[in-house]
Amino acid sequence: MTELIQANLHLLDQAVELLVRLDADIYVKTTPVFLNSAVGGHVRHCLEHYQSLIQGLQDGRVNYDRRARDIQIETQPMAALSRLNELRSQLAALTQMTHMEHIVILMDHGADSVDENWQKSSLGRELQFLISHTVHHFALISGLCRLHGVTIGNDFGVAHSTLRHRAKIGS
């Protein structure tokens, strides 16, 4: 479990590294090629998924569909950095949980709050989901940055398994 937490922390660290050097105008710049999305929208979306898990662990129910959609996180890189640091601390604190296989309950996509629509999951499974989800959005962020002429690391938005495979074949 600690390995999954560390992998998620690594992704959040990558986001911090990007945001500290990304100009605010690029953070909010949209482009039709990416369905008028911006880096800030993808960052907000990812951070709110992490917040949903953290809050859901406290509430006993994780609902990724009911997010705040905080416009400040989407439009102000400093607000996103602040939230990133909060989430990093909260995620790191999960390593102190005495029962790491903590069961969480999450809402089925598009379902209402009726009890039979809630599905069981585990903290480990949700941490794996967040890795996959975040890497996916980081790949979009990487494309946006490159389109706007921002140099970004070659491993940003690339799954760890892909990086291992590339290293294995020497590409």
Side-chain angles (χ1 to χ4, degrees), residues 74-92:
E74 189 168 335
T75 59
Q76 300 172 19
M78 294 309 292
L81 278 169
S82 178
R83 179 68 52 84
L84 267 165
N85 288 324
E86 291 170 12
L87 289 170
R88 276 196 94 276
S89 296
Q90 292 170 323
L91 195 58

Side-chain angles (χ1 to χ4, degrees), residues 93-128:
L94 294 181
T95 61
Q96 304 304 312
M97 287 179 63
T98 56
H99 189 254
M100 291 300 284
E101 289 302 316
H102 183 74
I103 296 294
V104 297
I105 301 172
L106 70 149
M107 181 179 261
D108 240 350
H109 178 72
D112 58 21
S113 61
V114 179
D115 283 343
E116 64 262 17
N117 292 328
W118 291 83
Q119 303 297 315
K120 289 185 179 180
S121 186
S122 67
L123 177 56
R125 177 63 196 105
E126 295 312 306
L127 289 168
Q128 287 175 328

Side-chain angles (χ1 to χ4, degrees), residues 6-36:
Q6 291 303 319
N8 277 281
L9 288 171
H10 173 72
L11 291 171
L12 295 181
D13 288 343
Q14 284 185 320
V16 168
E17 290 173 23
L18 175 67
L19 292 183
V20 296
R21 53 184 211 79
L22 192 65
D23 291 336
D25 58 325
I26 298 295
Y27 186 74
V28 297
K29 188 174 184 178
T30 61
T31 180
V33 174
F34 282 84
L35 302 173
N36 290 319

